[in-house]
Amino acid sequence: MEANDTVSIVDKKKSRLKRGILKEMYRLGSRTLAQLAKALHASVPSVTMLIDELAAEHWVQEIGTGAAQYGRKPALFGLRPGNQAVVVVDISVHDVKLVIFDLTNRVLDRLDVNLRLEDSVAFLEALKEPLEEIAQRIQEYQLTVIGVGCALPGLVDPRTGINYTYKKLNRPEQSLQQLLAYCFDAPVYLINDTKATILGEHRFGLAKGKNHVLSINIDWGVGLGVINNGEILQGLAGFAGELGHIQLQADGELCTCGKVGCLDTLTSASSLIRRVKAGLREGRVSKLAEENFEDIDVQLVIDKARAGDELAIDLLNEVGSELGKGLSIAVHLFNPELIIVNGVVAKAERLITRPIEQAIDKYCLADFRNKLVINVSRLGEMAKLYGTQAYVVQCLLEHEEIP
């Protein structure tokens, strides 16, 4: 073996260990040298040398001392909230959020844009201006963007970045991925919004440290994230978890996907609003009838339900019951310990989780239900944003983009 080959192997091992240190600190926060050495199966002197190099490169810093039963307290090291930043682009059918994170998951800036996702070239054109605005802010803050993550609905293949639902975002001459890369001059990673949500829950929320979890995202569509044996289930092309398109009513409504009676048509936020308006047209008595018809949204329905409005309570109960029926299939397939409820409808809290629980009690075998817990997410919309940030950092480390 030539000397150059030996140097190359040593450099690769050192780079791998450096990425391992950054990954441990990102996942677990501040760590001691001994903790890092144990996690990486390396010696303390080797880790000390790598920490010194990472500190010189402005990736990590000493942030205090840890606990010690006897003797001198060990030094704690953590990621340095320096000028490295990750841009998260959260695209949904009701708005777009642009968020700048540092490596400690701190939000440095945020821009909310009243722009609805459409499968059109016009959407990409409209997205350019807010992207340029956030890019200008990044320049003013003197930040270096190391990666961009984009969470959006649809059948997203994370390996290729292709969205098979919103096909016009994949134009060869200028795709969404190309637009983001051009604006921020950094690697771009696309992820399905529900996958981003459960990744956020797994790293920072209720699913942290758990191995068998379902995360149901009740937004303008319905998506299911699955953690099985501690790993997020992706499937062959990253499409696993499209619970919203299982059929619950053979003679039901036509779904946007072209099928009939999908769970989406019964339980999504858009279906809830549609049913509220249909009930009002039929003459159902409700305080919602006093509102401007076009101003009725999910939050208003939830507010009226909490105030005791019968129509709002009935329809939220119906949504929860149908959702619980659909979830009972997933419970039998994956045998989870926890179901996390997220999305705009999750703001109804017990008004939505109670009928979900009752339906699961009704349709699941008792032994599947005995140890199952159902909770509303504590992170809310931040689960998706944190998850997208975590996905970017994970991809950068795996693809050897940093340090």
Side-chain angles (χ1 to χ4, degrees):
M1 183 182 291
E2 296 183 5
N4 288 342
D5 292 335
T6 303
V7 171
S8 176
I9 291 170
V10 170
D11 286 344
K12 284 182 178 179
K13 182 178 180 181
K14 183 189 288 187
S15 178
R16 177 176 58 80
L17 288 172
K18 280 185 174 181
R19 292 195 305 276
I21 289 171
L22 295 179
K23 187 175 180 179
E24 283 294 301
M25 288 181 176
Y26 182 76
R27 286 178 57 247
L28 302 171
S30 57
R31 313 301 287 160
T32 66
L33 295 173
Q35 288 171 330
L36 290 169
K38 182 178 180 181
L40 299 174
H41 305 289
S43 67
V44 171
S46 294
V47 170
T48 303
M49 179 188 68
L50 295 173
I51 285 287
D52 288 342
E53 290 184 14
L54 287 168
E57 296 163 0
H58 306 294
W59 286 99
V60 304
Q61 63 183 0
E62 185 174 341
I63 59 174
T65 56
Q69 191 171 3
Y70 304 106
R72 184 179 173 185
K73 292 182 179 180
L76 278 175
F77 296 89
L79 293 174
R80 179 178 178 178
N83 68 338
Q84 293 98 347
V86 170
V87 176
V88 168
V89 181
D90 174 16
I91 298 175
S92 72
V93 296
H94 45 87
D95 65 4
V96 172
K97 300 178 183 71
L98 305 175
V99 185
I100 306 170
F101 283 96
D102 69 13
L103 289 182
T104 63
N105 279 342
R106 187 164 55 104
V107 174
L108 302 178
D109 203 348
R110 172 171 172 161
L111 177 64
D112 289 10
V113 186
N114 185 20
L115 177 62
R116 296 171 182 268
L117 173 60
E118 295 176 357
D119 189 19
S120 68
V121 173
F123 172 78
L124 290 177
E125 291 297 324
L127 187 59
K128 286 181 181 178
E129 185 176 339
L131 289 177
E132 288 169 358
E133 181 179 341
I134 207 78
Q136 179 61 37
R137 295 185 192 182
I138 288 167
Q139 190 173 0
E140 291 170 0
Y141 299 148
Q142 298 183 327
L143 298 171
T144 300
V145 177
I146 59 173
V148 181
C150 181
L152 69 168
L155 300 176
V156 180
D157 187 333
R159 297 166 303 178
T160 63
I162 294 175
N163 190 319
Y164 290 90
T165 304
Y166 295 89
K167 297 181 180 180
K168 291 181 181 177
L169 304 185
N170 310 314
R171 294 183 305 159
E173 59 273 22
Q174 188 183 59
S175 66
L176 172 61
Q177 198 164 15
Q178 289 168 336
L179 174 62
L180 295 173
Y182 174 79
C183 287
F184 301 108
D185 190 26
V188 177
Y189 304 99
L190 271 61
I191 183 172
N192 169 269
D193 54 356
T194 300
K195 299 290 192 309
T197 299
I198 196 164
L199 180 56
E201 293 288 354
H202 197 206
R203 294 289 176 83
F204 312 108
L206 293 174
K208 189 173 183 177
K210 297 189 180 298
N211 292 318
H212 303 282
V213 181
L214 302 180
S215 173
I216 186 72
N217 190 27
I218 324 168
D219 216 89
W220 299 98
V222 176
L224 182 72
V226 180
I227 296 172
N228 190 43
N229 292 325
E231 299 289 332
I232 294 175
L233 186 66
Q234 292 283 0
L236 176 64
F239 301 162
E242 284 294 329
L243 190 73
H245 295 290
I246 63 169
Q247 189 186 67
L248 279 195
Q249 284 188 347
D251 57 349
E253 294 179 28
L254 178 67
C255 183
T256 54
C257 71
K259 310 298 182 185
V260 172
C262 290
L263 187 64
D264 257 12
T265 65
L266 299 167
T267 62
S268 65
S270 51
S271 74
L272 173 62
I273 298 303
R274 207 164 50 241
R275 290 159 78 179
V276 166
K277 291 180 177 180
L280 294 175
R281 289 192 192 98
E282 292 166 3
R284 290 282 301 270
V285 176
S286 171
K287 285 286 185 180
L288 288 161
E290 300 172 2
E291 305 292 334
N292 185 319
F293 209 64
E294 296 307 315
D295 291 339
I296 296 174
D297 59 13
V298 172
Q299 189 58 55
L300 185 60
V301 174
I302 292 170
D303 290 343
K304 295 299 182 186
R306 284 179 176 151
D309 187 88
E310 186 177 324
L311 175 63
I313 291 171
D314 284 349
L315 291 180
L316 281 170
N317 189 71
E318 288 176 17
V319 165
S321 295
E322 294 294 345
L323 198 58
K325 187 188 292 186
L327 275 170
S328 67
I329 298 171
V331 168
H332 281 132
L333 289 173
F334 298 109
N335 189 198
E337 59 193 295
L338 171 66
I339 295 176
I340 303 171
V341 183
N342 210 319
V344 292
V345 180
K347 294 175 183 177
E349 298 178 326
R350 289 296 293 162
L351 288 167
I352 195 71
T353 57
R354 190 184 299 113
I356 289 174
E357 290 169 354
Q358 290 170 343
I360 288 177
D361 284 341
K362 180 178 180 180
Y363 295 108
C364 281
L365 294 174
D367 290 333
F368 281 81
R369 180 65 182 89
N370 287 342
K371 296 181 180 179
L372 176 62
V373 177
I374 301 172
N375 283 326
V376 173
S377 170
R378 294 174 189 161
L379 295 177
E381 68 166 21
M382 291 304 296
K384 183 173 24 169
L385 299 175
Y386 286 145
T388 307
Q389 148 92 338
Y391 181 64
V392 172
V393 174
Q394 173 185 308
C395 289
L396 289 171
L397 291 169
E398 287 177 356
H399 299 164
E400 301 184 21
E401 301 282 355
I402 56 174

